[in-house]
């Protein structure tokens, strides 16, 4: 369970171009299986996601994980929490070019120093599970958008996280690939993972697998709806 | 422990892949780094080896040489002083030396003519015989038992049978040397008996040189006393001055290379910053990022340093420092063709490593550390 208490995030704080992306938001996420943050561009969706996933620290307010305050922890501990608890799927996938699909998937597990054969097997299993069994050795530059996204999902799952966080996962995908992505989310949901996404794509927040839709506007929470087809 | 090893292996694998992705940048950096180390190490190894060579040669030189001065210039000295000098307590041996220069018009070269001291039985020469240095052998292409023809300052012709050719190893000081008997020397230069070029003193205890010099100065007035240590100091000054000249000439180039290397190493591209952000986001700790970059820096700096040092070693000791020779060795018609004895001064190598590897590592690690301690979100934005 992740709780944000009166969280504010100001970028460029103290400068002339400072702006508050999130303004005093309080929300609890987790155990919702699938939640979506929606809202127009610049509403603060991605920022809220980075705060939930410990990719950024709030300017004020508090973030707790299972009742423990984590927003004030040193970077070392936040990194450990990120590695153990969250798997990230970024909007532009953020795969590392020059590495193969398999190596990209293995990347989050490198600091754990796992057995190489076991880790390779785990990465291949994930790629196979996502329909990329034959593409593990390919450099990620040679993959299509949909394939790259599935590599990013496999990478997010390699450390078996409790939460999968996806930022605009279908922004670069066509209808067919979006449907494929929703099938993957359905599988994750069935496996008991909590999936938290941002999207301004109605195909996502109107999907039957979405349990909760939270609306943001100008850094403020304006709606919080529950249940399938919440929107 | 096993996990730590595996972790380092993963980080090295990632580092190698990362370096391959930026091949051009890394090859340029490696090349620049290699060149700097090669030049600096060549100068350093050459200077160090030539000083050592000089020190080894001087070890056989007399502790004190006595020269007569007439109107401030070096003149022939009488052998009568030998008795007085030998009588000074602490002087083991005093002997007269005959040496000088003879210009050979045919080759446009100066030969150093010398009579081997009586105490040197290995180079004893009889009348009509000569022992020649390797440089003379090269210029005149004469071998053992062949004839060496010389024209005396008086215009007379002299013929010597070459008894022996001095080994290449002695080339630094003996390239242009011709050893002949005392009788031949006096005949060649029309010198009367009883005079010498200078007198050589062998001292029992080197610490007593100053005391002995004081007594010798009274025994042989109007003379100059040259000690072995002062010759060593002169050699040292010459080689240091030459090294300095070379480094000054190369200074601008080295500085330009250093700035380029620093710029290439320290500038973090947007792509690199994004990559660090991704690594942090997916669970890499700051120390993991730094370790990976440390391996990258170490592979470039240590690799370039070692290869540069090995290349410099080969350049100096196997190719006679061909690129630096004219500045470091000086110039002569009978160029000393000698091989330096391979020698490395660990302190100099450590100093060179310190002044090349440490600044590079700092230049690469600091910007990466700054990016790595920032929130992944900020870095990726």
């Amino acid at each position: 369970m992740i709780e944000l208490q009166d969280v504010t995030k100001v970028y460029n704080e103290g400068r002339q171009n400072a702006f508050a992306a999130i303004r005093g938001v309080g929300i609890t996420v987790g155990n919702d299986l699938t939640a979506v943050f929606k809202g127009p561009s610049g509403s603060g969706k991605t920022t809220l996601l980075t705060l939930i996933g410990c990719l950024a620290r709030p300017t004020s307010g508090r973030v707790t994980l299972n009742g423990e305050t984590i927003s004030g922890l040193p970077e070392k501990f936040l990194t450990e929490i990120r590695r153990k608890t969250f798997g990230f799927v970024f909007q532009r996938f953020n795969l590392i070019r020059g590495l193969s699909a398999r190596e990209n998937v293995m990347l989050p597990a490198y600091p754990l120093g796992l057995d190489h054969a076991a880790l390779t097997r785990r990465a291949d299993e994930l790629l196979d599970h996502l329909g990329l069994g034959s593409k593990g050795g390919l450099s990620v530059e040679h993959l299509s958008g949909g394939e790259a996204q599935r590599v990013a999902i496999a990478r997010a799952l390699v450390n078996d996280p409790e939460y999968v966080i996806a930022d605009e996962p279908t922004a670069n995908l066509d209808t067919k690939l979006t449907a494929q992505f929703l099938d993957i989310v359905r599988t994750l949901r069935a496996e008991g993972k909590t999936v938290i996404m941002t999207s301004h794509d109605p195909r996502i927040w109107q999907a039957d697998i979405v349990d909760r839709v939270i609306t943001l506007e100008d850094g403020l929470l304006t709606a919080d709806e529950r249940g399938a087809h919440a929107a | 422990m096993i996990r730590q090893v595996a972790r380092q292996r993963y980080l090295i694998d990632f580092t190698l892949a990362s370096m391959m992705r930026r091949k051009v940048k890394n090859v340029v950096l490696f090349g620049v780094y290699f060149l700097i180390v090669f030049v600096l190490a060549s100068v350093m190894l050459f200077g160090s080896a030539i000083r050592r060579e000089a020190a080894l040669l001087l070890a056989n030189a007399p502790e004190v040489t006595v020269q007569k001065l007439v109107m401030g210039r070096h003149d022939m000295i009488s052998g009568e002083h030998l008795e007085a000098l030998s009588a000074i307590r602490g002087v083991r041996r005093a002997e007269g030396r005959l040496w000088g220069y003879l210009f050979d018009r045919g080759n446009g070269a100066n030969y150093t003519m010398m009579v081997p001291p009586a105490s040197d039985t290995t180079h004893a020469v009889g009348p009509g015989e000569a022992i020649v240095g390797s440089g003379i052998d090269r210029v005149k292409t004469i071998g053992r038992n062949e004839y060496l023809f010389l024209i005396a300052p008086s215009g007379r012709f002299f013929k010597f049978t070459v008894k022996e050719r001095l080994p290449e190893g002695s080339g630094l000081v003996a390239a242009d040397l011709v050893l002949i008997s005392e009788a031949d020397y006096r005949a060649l230069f029309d010198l009367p008996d009883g005079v010498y070029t200078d007198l050589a003193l062998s001292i029992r205890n080197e610490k007593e040189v100053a005391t002995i010099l004081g007594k010798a100065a009274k025994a042989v007035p109007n003379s100059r006393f040259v000690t072995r240590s002062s010759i060593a100091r002169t050699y040292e000054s010459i080689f240091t001055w030459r090294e300095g000249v070379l480094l000054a000439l190369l200074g601008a180039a080295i500085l330009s290379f250093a700035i380029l290397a620093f710029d290439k190493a320290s500038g973090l591209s947007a792509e690199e910053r994004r990559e660090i952000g991704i690594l942090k986001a997916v669970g890499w700790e700051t120390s993991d990022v730094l370790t990976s970059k440390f391996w990258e820096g170490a592979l470039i700096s240590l690799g370039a340093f070692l290869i540069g040092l090995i290349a410099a070693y080969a350049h100096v000791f196997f190719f006679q420092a061909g690129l630096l020779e004219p500045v470091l060795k000086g110039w002569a018609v009978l160029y000393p063709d000698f091989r330096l004895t391979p020698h490395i001064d660990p302190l100099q190598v450590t100093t060179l490593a310190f002044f090349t590897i440490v600044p590079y590592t700092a230049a690469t690690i600091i910007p990466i550390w700054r990016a790595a301690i920032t929130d992944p979100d900020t870095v990726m934005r």
Side-chain angles (χ1 to χ4, degrees):
Chain A
M1 184 83 75
I2 303 157
E3 191 178 0
L4 276 67
Q5 298 171 2
D6 195 21
V7 162
T8 296
K9 178 68 181 176
V10 180
Y11 288 106
N12 304 322
E13 197 185 9
R15 294 186 204 161
Q16 279 195 326
N17 59 347
F19 76 98
I22 294 293
R23 297 185 288 165
V25 169
I27 191 172
T28 304
V29 286
N31 304 333
D32 294 307
L33 302 182
T34 307
V36 177
F37 288 104
K38 71 168 185 163
S41 295
S43 58
K45 303 186 297 291
T46 300
T47 301
L48 199 59
L49 215 55
T50 60
L51 292 170
I52 290 170
C54 304
L55 289 174
R57 293 161 198 266
T59 309
S60 65
R62 194 149 46 133
V63 182
T64 66
L65 175 68
N66 299 328
E68 300 278 334
T69 301
I70 57 170
S71 46
L73 289 176
E75 177 58 28
K76 187 177 170 65
F77 294 100
L78 285 182
T79 304
E80 200 177 331
I81 289 170
R82 270 200 302 273
R83 189 166 57 221
K84 286 181 177 167
T85 317
F86 302 105
F88 297 95
V89 180
F90 300 99
Q91 187 173 349
R92 290 188 185 88
F93 315 135
N94 279 346
L95 298 175
I96 293 188
R97 276 180 270 171
L99 296 186
S100 68
R102 185 184 296 113
E103 287 166 332
N104 264 285
V105 173
M106 291 162 73
L107 213 52
Y110 279 180
L112 300 173
L114 302 175
D115 173 63
H116 191 265
L119 181 56
T120 307
R121 206 164 41 242
R122 165 93 178 132
D124 285 343
E125 279 168 8
L126 283 167
L127 288 170
D128 198 36
H129 186 58
L130 294 166
L132 293 171
S134 60
K135 307 222 167 168
L138 272 185
S139 183
V140 288
E141 296 94 288
H142 301 123
L143 300 177
S144 68
E147 288 169 337
Q149 189 198 46
R150 278 179 281 161
V151 172
I153 294 169
R155 184 179 67 184
L157 297 173
V158 74
N159 284 341
D160 196 20
E162 194 181 336
Y163 296 86
V164 174
I165 290 178
D167 185 19
E168 298 284 2
T170 58
N172 302 308
L173 303 183
D174 60 21
T175 307
K176 190 181 162 198
L177 291 173
T178 301
Q180 270 183 13
F181 172 76
L182 287 171
D183 283 342
I184 294 167
V185 174
R186 186 171 287 111
T187 311
L188 295 175
R189 188 172 182 265
E191 288 170 357
K193 305 249 182 251
T194 298
V195 181
I196 304 168
M197 296 181 275
T198 65
S199 183
H200 53 246
D201 181 353
R203 290 172 299 182
I204 294 292
W205 32 268
Q206 288 175 356
D208 59 349
I209 49 148
V210 173
D211 301 293
R212 189 175 172 194
V213 177
I214 301 146
T215 309
L216 282 163
E217 270 177 46
D218 295 330
L220 294 169
L221 217 140
T222 56
D224 189 351
E225 300 157 277
R226 288 170 189 271
H229 300 280
Chain B
M1 183 64 190
I2 292 169
R3 286 205 164 194
Q4 280 303 317
V5 173
R7 179 182 171 139
Q8 289 304 319
R9 191 196 139 181
Y10 284 125
L11 294 180
I12 292 171
D13 281 351
F14 178 78
T15 302
L16 291 173
S18 175
M19 289 172 76
M20 288 305 288
R21 284 201 302 282
R22 291 182 272 273
K23 251 182 280 184
V24 175
K25 177 185 168 180
N26 287 317
V27 166
V28 168
L29 267 179
F30 193 91
V32 166
Y33 210 122
F34 164 81
L35 272 176
I36 291 175
V37 173
F38 173 74
V39 170
L40 291 177
S42 291
V43 173
M44 188 190 81
L45 288 175
F46 189 91
S48 164
I50 208 164
R51 280 190 193 91
R52 190 164 175 267
E53 196 87 355
L56 287 173
L57 290 164
L58 279 176
N60 296 322
E63 282 87 356
V64 180
T65 307
V66 186
Q67 297 175 338
K68 185 181 177 188
L69 290 181
V70 176
M71 292 179 287
R73 293 181 67 87
H74 181 194
D75 200 359
M76 301 304 288
I77 189 165
S78 168
E80 288 170 0
H81 301 298
L82 285 170
E83 203 177 326
L85 290 169
S86 299
I88 298 172
R89 275 177 72 91
V91 173
R92 183 192 291 137
R93 189 173 55 245
E95 52 189 353
R97 299 196 309 176
L98 285 168
W99 60 269
Y101 303 106
L102 181 71
F103 184 65
D104 180 0
R105 281 198 195 89
N107 293 304
N110 256 323
Y111 302 147
T112 301
M113 307 299 298
M114 194 171 178
V115 176
S119 53
D120 181 6
T121 51
T122 53
H123 295 118
V125 279
E129 288 179 340
I131 294 175
V132 298
S134 53
I136 293 170
D137 182 18
R138 274 202 313 278
V139 171
K140 293 183 88 80
T141 56
I142 44 170
R144 197 174 165 177
N145 294 326
E146 290 185 323
Y147 296 119
L148 168 69
F149 292 98
L150 296 175
I151 303 169
S154 62
R156 281 173 63 201
F157 276 89
F158 281 80
K159 184 176 89 175
F160 298 94
T161 306
V162 175
K163 182 189 172 194
E164 191 186 330
R165 176 181 176 274
L166 291 168
E168 291 280 356
S170 62
L172 181 60
V173 290
D176 62 351
L177 189 64
V178 179
L179 296 176
I180 54 176
S181 69
E182 183 173 342
D184 288 337
Y185 191 96
R186 293 191 185 280
L188 187 72
F189 291 105
D190 282 331
L191 286 178
D193 287 343
V195 295
Y196 296 93
T197 313
D198 54 28
L199 307 177
L201 303 187
S202 171
I203 308 290
R204 283 182 214 284
N205 181 358
E206 207 165 338
K207 288 178 184 166
E208 291 177 0
V209 167
T211 316
I212 292 168
L213 282 181
K215 292 177 183 173
K218 285 179 187 160
V220 191
N222 300 321
S223 298
R224 173 170 63 188
F225 298 88
V226 182
T227 62
R228 186 165 60 191
S229 58
S230 66
I231 298 173
R233 277 199 302 277
T234 307
Y235 275 177
E236 176 70 26
S237 313
I238 290 169
F239 296 137
T240 306
W241 179 81
R242 284 178 180 170
E243 265 183 346
V245 167
L246 188 72
L247 288 176
L249 289 172
L250 293 171
I254 290 171
L255 190 65
S256 313
F257 278 145
I259 291 168
L260 173 75
F262 184 84
D263 183 51
K264 288 279 177 194
S266 60
L268 216 51
S269 67
E271 176 69 19
E272 285 170 300
R273 285 177 62 80
R274 195 182 73 91
E275 194 174 297
I276 290 170
I278 295 169
L279 294 173
K280 293 287 307 275
V282 300
W284 282 40
E285 288 177 16
T286 303
S287 63
D288 296 324
V289 176
L290 288 177
T291 307
S292 165
K293 294 295 172 183
F294 168 79
W295 281 119
E296 188 174 324
L299 281 172
I300 290 178
S301 59
L302 214 57
F305 178 80
L306 288 176
I307 294 174
L309 190 62
I310 290 166
Y313 186 91
H315 172 228
V316 170
F317 297 118
F318 299 126
F319 298 99
Q320 285 79 57
L323 301 174
L324 310 172
E325 197 175 52
V327 180
L328 285 176
K329 277 206 261 182
W331 183 90
V333 173
L334 297 183
Y335 213 94
D337 182 22
F338 61 97
R339 280 185 184 278
L340 291 166
T341 313
H343 168 72
I344 285 186
D345 181 349
L347 182 66
Q348 280 190 326
V349 173
T350 312
T351 308
L352 184 64
F354 183 80
F355 282 107
T356 51
I357 294 173
V358 173
Y360 178 84
T361 308
T364 49
I365 289 291
I366 290 169
I368 289 156
W369 172 74
R370 284 170 61 187
I373 56 165
T374 314
D375 284 338
D377 173 54
T378 312
V379 176
M380 283 193 286
R381 274 168 196 268

